[in-house]
């Protein structure tokens, strides 16, 4: 992860117009925790004090998209409102800690052996390394509830597969490069499947919390046995 | 007016991409959930308002494949609006943009006509379908929401009403016609492209390819290959983003677009031009017209007032 000079100097972000109803606010051009912290901070400030015409914000690695109602606001008023929010003191927001259960049994972890071989480790070492990662939610994307967690330890990082595999079960715990995610729908993936989780990241039945994570939250994985996994899935 | 508790419609045939939609699932892009909703929001609203509904009550989106259904029981007033589709009903063959009443024993067939890619079937009543994250809009990738319709299924309309005072044609306004001149705001990644590529983008004709669904449409035309390495971190995408893959092929992202992506966006189509754009068909030509952000806002505002006057006229009835 290379450093971005704009992050170090704390200079004003770049504002880019997106069509007639949004502004993209860029804090840098790399995947970097310090850049992402600025995204999370502006997101929190917007939530605490939305400007007139604010519609929604979509935080990502190094940027945040701010959508506005073009009948009420425009790019200029939106940029001015954001500039004001950047200057304002916002209460230090600390992401919540979320726990995700994971079972690493071989039939739920079809790529665990391959990751172990490629890393020169035993499968148990891969599991220990995965559990020791310092994860946080950088963004959602690709499909509903797909939360990109950064923090996979270097020792087990693998590039994505050359071609995606279809029909991978929801709940699969996937890694690629420094990223980890728990899938929420049956979908193709080119990432490595090292376990499966019964923890629902996307839970439409929950009216108060349909998505487990907010961008900026910290995440830890907790290993569970097959018996616990089966019991959770039936619950 | 007769009133029954429900109308039951059996699907005899449904093409691909025939599904329940409503006003969309808004405010969840930050969780990876696109808004979905109708491809052509103008025609969708017209169909609803023509039968006396709020503009974005759940209705059925019908693709070029068409839809044939049989009314098994009950009776309900319906509207079809969007494109030049053909409506066959009770021995009549008419164009879309019409309101009539479907009764038990009658068949309703909606087939593609001379123009348009999407049409909308709205009922004076409430379609019974699943709600996902607060909306009946169908997310095409997962099928979640109200869901796709397939032959053999039935659709139940609760509290159906016969509103025969609304029978007759619906005005098809200019804003619901196909639109081939697309206003765009250049960026947010125009810096990834050479001056020559940017100039080609706004001066060359493009065509819609056959690769066209609710997520987006790939275009054919000059290559718009980025001039620098593709190493940008993924960021948010909007409906209307013109995303260029590494091979130089642009895609215009539509109702069910993925919410984030790592390919550069050369421009963004002004949202109010998209309803007309989606009524084009594969192989139709388009051209891009660069406007300033402020011109885009002015266009959207003008368009919104035209739309609201139009819907008011349709609401007043034939």
């Amino acid at each position: 992860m290379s450093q971005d000079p704009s992050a170090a100097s704390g200079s004003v972000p770049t504002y880019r117009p997106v069509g007639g109803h949004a502004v993209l606010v860029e804090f840098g051009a790399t995947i970097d925790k310090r850049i992402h912290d600025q995204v999370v901070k502006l997101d929190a400030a917007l939530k605490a004090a939305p400007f007139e015409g604010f519609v929604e914000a979509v935080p990502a690695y190094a940027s945040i998209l701010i959508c506005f109602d073009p009948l009420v606001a425009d790019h200029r008023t939106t940029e001015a409102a954001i500039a004001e929010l950047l200057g304002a003191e916002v209460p230090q927001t600390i992401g919540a800690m979320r726990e995700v259960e994971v079972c690493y049994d071989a039939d739920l972890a079809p790529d665990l052996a391959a990751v172990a071989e490629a890393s020169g480790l035993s499968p148990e070492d891969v599991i220990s390394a995965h559990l020791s990662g310092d994860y946080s939610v950088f963004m959602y994307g690709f499909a509903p509830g797909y939360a990109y967690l950064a923090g996979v330890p270097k020792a087990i990082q693998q590039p994505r597969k050359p071609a995606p595999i279809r029909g991978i079960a929801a709940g699969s715990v996937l890694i690629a490069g420094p990223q980890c995610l728990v899938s929420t729908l049956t979908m193709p993936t080119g990432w490595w499947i090292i376990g499966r989780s019964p923890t629902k990241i996307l839970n439409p039945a929950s009216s108060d919390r349909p998505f487990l994570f907010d961008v900026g939250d910290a995440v830890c994985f907790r290993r569970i046995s097959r018996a616990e996994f089966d019991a959770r899935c039936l619950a | 007016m007769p009133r029954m508790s429900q109308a039951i419609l059996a699907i005899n045939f449904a093409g691909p991409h025939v599904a329940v939609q409503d006003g969309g699932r808004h405010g969840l892009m930050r969780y990876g959930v696109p808004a979905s909703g109708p491809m052509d929001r103008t025609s969708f609203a017209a169909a609803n308002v023509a039968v006396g509904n709020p503009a974005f009550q759940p209705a059925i989106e019908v693709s070029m494949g068409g839809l044939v259904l049989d009314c098994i029981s009950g009776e309900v007033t319906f509207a079809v609006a969007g494109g030049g589709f053909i409506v066959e009903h009770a021995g009549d063959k008419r164009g879309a943009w019409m309101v009539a009443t479907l009764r038990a024993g009658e068949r309703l067939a909606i087939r593609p006509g001379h123009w348009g890619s999407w049409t909308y079937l709205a009922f004076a009543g409430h379609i019974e379908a699943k709600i996902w994250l607060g909306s009946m809009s169908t997310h095409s990738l997962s099928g979640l929401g109200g869901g796709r319709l397939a032959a053999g299924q039935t659709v139940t309309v609760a509290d159906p009403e016969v509103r025969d005072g609304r029978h007759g044609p619906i005005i098809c306004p200019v804003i619901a016609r196909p639109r081939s001149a697309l206003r765009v705001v250049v960026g947010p990644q125009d810096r990834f492209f050479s001056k020559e590529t940017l100039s080609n983008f706004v001066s060359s004709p493009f065509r819609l390819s056959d690769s066209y669904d609710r997520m987006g449409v790939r275009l054919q035309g000059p290559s718009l290959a980025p001039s620098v390495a593709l190493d940008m971190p993924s960021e948010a995408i909007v409906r209307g983003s013109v995303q260029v893959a590494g091979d130089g092929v642009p895609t215009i992202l539509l109702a069910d677009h993925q919410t984030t992506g790592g390919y550069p966006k050369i421009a963004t189509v002004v949202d109010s031009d998209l309803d007309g754009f989606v009524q084009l068909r594969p192989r139709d030509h388009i051209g891009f017209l660069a406007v300033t952000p402020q011109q885009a806002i002015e266009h959207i505002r003008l368009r919104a007032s035209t739309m609201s006057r139009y819907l008011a006229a349709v609401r007043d009835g034939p």
Side-chain angles (χ1 to χ4, degrees):
Chain A
M1 294 191 190
S2 59
Q3 295 196 348
D4 184 283
S6 68
S9 65
S11 65
V12 182
T14 307
Y15 301 99
R16 301 191 191 278
V18 177
H21 67 286
V23 172
L24 182 71
V25 185
E26 286 178 354
F27 289 98
T30 52
I31 300 177
D32 181 300
K33 183 83 169 81
R34 287 171 315 126
I35 292 172
H36 190 254
D37 284 346
Q38 297 178 70
V39 171
V40 172
K41 197 175 159 203
L42 175 57
D43 191 32
L46 271 165
K47 193 178 177 191
F51 60 89
E52 197 183 351
F54 171 73
V55 171
E56 70 178 311
V58 191
Y61 288 113
S63 67
I64 179 167
L65 181 81
I66 318 268
C67 300
F68 59 81
D69 176 354
L71 303 187
V72 177
D74 61 25
H75 304 81
R76 200 174 41 78
T77 60
T78 298
E79 284 176 31
I82 295 164
E84 203 165 313
L85 285 172
L86 289 169
E89 268 307 303
V90 282
Q92 186 65 35
T93 49
I94 298 164
M97 172 61 85
R98 310 281 176 193
E99 185 183 84
V100 173
E101 296 174 320
V102 55
C103 177
Y104 297 97
D105 274 21
D107 61 320
L108 304 177
D111 297 327
L112 186 60
V115 171
E117 195 176 329
S119 312
L121 298 169
S122 70
E124 275 304 316
D125 288 342
V126 172
I127 292 167
S128 304
H130 182 249
L131 288 168
S132 76
D134 178 18
Y135 300 98
S136 60
V137 182
F138 270 52
M139 62 181 280
Y140 279 89
F142 186 67
Y146 274 54
Y148 289 74
L149 314 178
V152 173
K154 274 232 151 38
I156 60 167
Q157 289 184 12
Q158 298 299 329
R160 66 181 61 196
K161 298 173 185 173
I165 314 290
R166 296 171 66 95
I168 302 306
S172 294
V173 177
L174 314 170
I175 58 170
Q179 302 178 103
C180 179
L181 78 71
V182 182
S183 67
T184 57
L185 302 170
T186 302
M187 293 274 284
T189 185
W191 292 23
W192 304 86
I193 308 156
I194 61 162
R196 199 179 302 171
S197 175
T199 306
K200 284 190 160 48
I201 314 300
L202 167 62
N203 184 10
S206 163
S207 54
D208 61 325
R209 197 148 193 98
F211 301 90
L212 180 62
F213 309 136
D214 283 312
V215 169
D217 283 354
V219 177
C220 65
F221 286 93
R222 185 168 71 81
R223 186 175 191 174
I224 57 170
S225 69
R226 185 53 179 266
E228 283 175 285
F229 176 84
D230 290 340
R232 291 282 190 288
C233 289
L234 289 172
Chain B
M1 283 192 290
R3 191 184 158 96
M4 300 176 79
S5 64
Q6 59 182 30
I8 297 178
L9 315 170
I11 313 272
N12 177 276
F13 171 83
H17 311 300
V18 175
V20 177
Q21 299 294 340
D22 62 13
R25 192 173 283 108
H26 297 281
L28 297 175
M29 281 213 295
R30 63 189 294 114
Y31 298 111
V33 184
S36 300
M39 293 287 277
D40 174 358
R41 297 153 293 190
T42 303
S43 301
F44 182 93
N48 262 320
V49 167
V51 290
N53 291 340
F56 290 98
Q57 189 160 310
I60 297 173
E61 179 174 82
V62 180
S63 69
M64 288 270 286
L67 173 70
V68 180
L69 48 79
D70 295 306
C71 185
I72 302 297
S73 68
E75 52 189 349
V76 61
T77 295
F78 69 93
V80 179
F85 282 66
I86 307 294
V87 178
E88 294 171 36
H89 165 237
D92 267 0
K93 192 168 175 176
R94 287 183 281 174
W97 303 93
M98 50 79 72
V99 179
T101 294
L102 184 63
R103 298 188 159 83
E106 289 178 352
R107 169 166 288 187
L108 172 65
I110 300 173
R111 305 184 203 282
H114 294 303
W115 63 276
S117 286
W118 309 92
T119 199
Y120 296 91
L121 171 60
F123 297 104
H126 296 274
I127 293 174
E128 291 185 351
K130 284 185 181 148
I131 293 176
W132 181 57
L133 297 171
S135 161
M136 264 189 210
S137 280
T138 305
H139 173 245
S140 54
L141 202 60
S142 63
L144 292 167
R148 283 184 283 263
L149 303 183
Q153 291 180 345
T154 57
V155 173
T156 300
V157 180
D159 303 320
E161 289 188 17
V162 171
R163 297 175 182 158
D164 40 20
R166 296 202 156 268
H167 285 188
I170 308 168
I171 313 154
C172 172
V174 172
I175 55 171
R177 303 288 303 188
R179 180 169 190 94
S180 56
L182 301 181
R183 277 164 278 226
V184 293
V185 174
V186 169
Q189 277 88 40
D190 46 312
R191 66 191 181 282
F192 282 42
F193 301 89
S194 70
K195 271 208 168 70
E196 191 192 353
T197 301
L198 285 167
S199 154
N200 271 341
F201 172 64
V202 290
S203 63
S204 309
F206 288 83
R207 292 200 309 181
L208 280 74
S209 75
D210 288 319
S211 178
Y212 176 15
D213 61 20
R214 285 183 43 89
M215 290 182 72
V217 56
R218 282 163 70 89
L219 305 180
Q220 293 170 336
S223 170
L224 300 178
S227 55
V228 295
L230 298 178
D231 61 351
M232 58 177 279
S234 284
E235 62 169 39
I237 298 172
V238 299
R239 187 167 174 155
S241 288
V242 186
Q243 180 176 271
V244 183
D247 58 6
V249 176
T251 297
I252 299 184
L253 293 159
L254 299 171
D256 283 336
H257 66 88
Q258 292 184 359
T259 55
T260 54
Y263 289 116
K265 278 79 74 184
I266 194 169
T268 309
V269 179
V270 178
D271 189 70
S272 47
D273 282 358
L274 288 177
D275 288 3
F277 169 70
V278 300
Q279 291 294 0
L280 294 169
R281 292 176 172 179
R283 288 181 283 282
D284 282 348
H285 284 88
I286 58 163
F288 295 104
L289 175 70
V291 298
T292 66
Q294 198 54 38
Q295 286 170 329
I297 300 269
E298 283 157 18
H299 177 59
I300 289 171
R301 290 177 179 173
L302 181 63
R303 164 64 191 245
S305 77
T306 305
M307 179 72 175
S308 105
R309 279 197 313 273
Y310 165 66
L311 288 182
V314 174
R315 194 172 283 119
D316 287 344

